[in-house]
């Protein structure tokens, strides 16, 4: 097949696809208009998240048999239109699940032990032991919202810390096992000391964590979001932190990740959020490690090979 790659990928992707007989065009800097112009003859398309795969673009690809998404999120892909055209979708959530789990755990341990604050203070000659007294994970109850590849991988790592891991997934049942106990959303809100979000962005999850929802938790908790920032707004985070509904927040994703396109309200709320010691940020890199960069290729190529050879 003829395959077009429109985003930056680990260099192994081209020889891996060529080794199973495909012709590959690697164009990581291509723009949307250029994709529309040349996509016609291609059988396969491999993407990250730079260019939305909407109907307007896909209708210019009459020969398209599959899209390979180098990552987990599918919110920028018109899945309904793809299904109507019988276009296969491959995505590589298994390729970066370990990276996401380790990143979430690293952020949690860092905040629990004030590592960012402590490091900054010691560098400035401040030796404040009491002000940097930490929390232990052992004995805490960690709730996982969404139990797909990322949620499962995070649960496995938590068990080594003697935590109680509970999970809720609206669309999956029989989650129980040695790593996790399946519970209802109401039970999770009653029990958890830490909530880790692992849901996709849909009309249902966008803005799901409102102030009203956070008020319904039985006790203050720490929030981890390595999934999609749009699940909770800056304004909601600030109000929840001000009112003590949240003990802290670990944010690899933001409701708007393009700083130059912030609304006035987003700009004001983000500045408040960024000034807090109990909030830790990273730039949407939880699944982005040197190892996952290559693992994603292996997962995609294995799926393509299984379907088309």
């Amino acid at each position: 097949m003829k395959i077009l790659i429109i985003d930056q990928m680990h260099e192994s992707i081209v020889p891996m696809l060529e080794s199973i007989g495909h012709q590959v065009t690697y164009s990581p800097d291509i723009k949307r208009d250029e994709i529309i112009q040349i996509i016609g003859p291609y059988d396969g398309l491999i993407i990250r998240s730079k260019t939305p795969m909407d109907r307007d673009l896909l209708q210019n690809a009459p020969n398209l048999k599959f899209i390979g998404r180098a990552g987990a999120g599918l919110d920028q892909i018109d899945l309904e239109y793809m299904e109507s055209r019988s276009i296969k979708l491959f995505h590589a959530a298994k390729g970066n699940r370990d990276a996401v789990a380790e990143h979430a755990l690293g952020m949690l341990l860092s905040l629990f032990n004030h590592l960012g604050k402590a490091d900054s203070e010691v560098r400035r000659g401040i030796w404040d032991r009491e002000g940097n007294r930490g929390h232990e994970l052992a004995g805490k109850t960690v709730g996982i919202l969404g139990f797909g590849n990322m949620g499962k991988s995070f649960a496995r790592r938590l068990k080594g810390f003697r935590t109680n891991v509970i999970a809720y997934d609206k669309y999956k049942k029989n989650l129980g096992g040695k790593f996790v106990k399946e519970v209802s959303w109401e039970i999770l809100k009653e029990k958890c000391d830490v909530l880790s979000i692992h849901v996709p962005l849909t009309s249902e999850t966008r803005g799901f964590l409102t102030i009203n929802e956070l008020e319904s938790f039985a006790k203050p908790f720490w929030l981890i979001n390595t999934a999609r920032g749009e699940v909770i707004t800056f304004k909601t985070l600030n109000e929840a932190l001000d009112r003590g509904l949240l003990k802290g927040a670990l944010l690899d994703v933001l409701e708007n990740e393009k700083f130059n396109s912030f609304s006035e309200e987003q700009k004001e709320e983000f500045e408040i959020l960024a000034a807090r010691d109990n909030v830790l940020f990273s730039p949407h890199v939880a699944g982005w490690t040197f190892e996952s960069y290559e693992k994603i290729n292996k997962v995609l190529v294995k799926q393509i090979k299984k379907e088309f050879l």
Side-chain angles (χ1 to χ4, degrees):
M1 295 185 294
K2 293 187 66 177
I3 299 173
L4 176 64
I5 301 173
I6 64 168
D7 282 293
Q8 195 76 38
M9 300 283 290
H10 187 274
E11 60 272 13
S12 63
I13 189 69
V14 174
M16 289 173 72
L17 288 168
E18 289 177 340
S19 72
I20 55 174
H22 302 303
Q23 300 175 41
V24 183
T25 302
Y26 183 61
S27 300
D29 299 319
I30 194 170
K31 303 294 189 292
R32 178 183 173 88
D33 290 346
E34 296 170 311
I35 297 169
I36 290 172
Q37 290 172 14
I38 71 167
I39 198 174
Y42 285 94
D43 305 288
L45 189 61
I46 294 181
I47 67 171
R48 286 195 180 277
S49 56
K50 178 181 69 180
T51 306
M53 292 292 109
D54 52 35
R55 184 181 299 252
D56 289 342
L57 187 149
L58 294 176
Q59 67 187 4
N60 292 281
N63 295 319
L64 199 63
K65 297 179 178 65
F66 77 86
I67 292 177
R69 163 73 169 101
L74 305 177
D75 46 279
Q76 292 203 83
I77 302 174
D78 190 333
L79 301 175
E80 185 177 331
Y81 181 67
M82 284 184 62
E83 185 176 357
S84 74
R85 290 264 312 273
S86 299
I87 299 170
K88 300 286 184 182
L89 175 66
F90 306 125
H91 68 114
K94 290 182 179 179
N96 62 359
R97 61 186 175 182
D98 292 331
V100 170
E102 290 182 17
H103 192 94
L105 183 57
M107 291 186 85
L108 185 58
L109 292 171
S110 181
L111 188 64
F112 266 26
N113 294 284
H114 310 290
L115 296 185
K117 174 176 173 288
D119 176 76
S120 174
E121 289 177 353
V122 173
R123 289 173 188 272
R124 291 179 285 124
I126 300 169
W127 195 259
D128 180 11
R129 297 183 69 215
E130 182 57 34
N132 288 295
R133 188 199 295 242
H135 295 273
E136 295 179 14
L137 257 178
K140 300 285 193 301
T141 297
V142 180
I144 297 176
L145 174 59
F147 205 67
N149 284 291
M150 311 306 173
K152 289 177 186 175
S153 191
F154 187 45
R156 289 190 183 100
R157 279 149 181 83
L158 287 167
K159 291 305 289 185
F161 288 84
R162 293 186 289 113
T163 56
N164 305 307
V165 184
I166 58 178
Y168 168 73
D169 192 309
K170 183 176 180 179
Y171 297 100
K172 294 182 180 181
K173 299 301 176 187
N174 302 315
L175 310 180
K178 59 183 178 179
F179 299 121
V180 65
K181 179 181 179 182
E182 181 181 358
V183 298
S184 68
W185 179 231
E186 294 306 316
I187 294 296
L188 187 146
K189 290 192 290 183
E190 178 186 338
K191 301 292 187 183
C192 79
D193 300 299
V194 177
L195 174 66
S196 189
I197 301 171
H198 297 281
V199 295
L201 180 63
T202 66
S203 58
E204 197 171 20
T205 61
R206 187 184 296 272
F208 174 70
L209 288 180
T210 62
I211 279 294
N212 288 341
E213 194 68 56
L214 297 178
E215 286 175 337
S216 66
F217 281 72
K219 54 187 173 182
F221 63 96
W222 289 272
L223 176 70
I224 309 172
N225 191 1
T226 56
R228 285 294 182 263
E230 294 92 335
V231 172
I232 185 168
T233 66
F234 296 150
K235 184 175 182 180
T236 299
L237 283 163
N238 276 320
E239 184 175 346
L241 288 161
D242 283 341
R243 292 174 53 187
L245 302 174
L246 290 179
K247 290 185 173 184
L250 302 146
L251 307 172
D252 182 56
V253 290
L254 304 176
E255 65 162 299
N256 184 352
E257 296 177 0
K258 296 181 172 62
F259 290 173
N260 59 4
S261 68
F262 277 2
S263 66
E264 285 302 314
E265 180 182 78
Q266 286 175 334
K267 183 178 180 181
E268 180 180 340
E269 295 289 348
F270 179 76
E271 287 174 355
I272 295 170
L273 203 60
R276 298 180 184 273
D277 286 337
N278 59 345
V279 175
L280 189 63
F281 299 98
S282 56
H284 204 150
V285 293
W288 188 239
T289 62
F290 290 101
E291 291 81 7
S292 70
Y293 195 31
E294 187 171 6
K295 282 182 190 176
I296 283 170
N297 288 355
K298 293 177 180 178
V299 171
L300 282 179
V301 172
K302 182 177 180 180
Q303 291 174 339
I304 293 167
K305 184 177 180 179
K306 181 178 180 180
E307 182 69 29
F308 292 107
L309 277 185

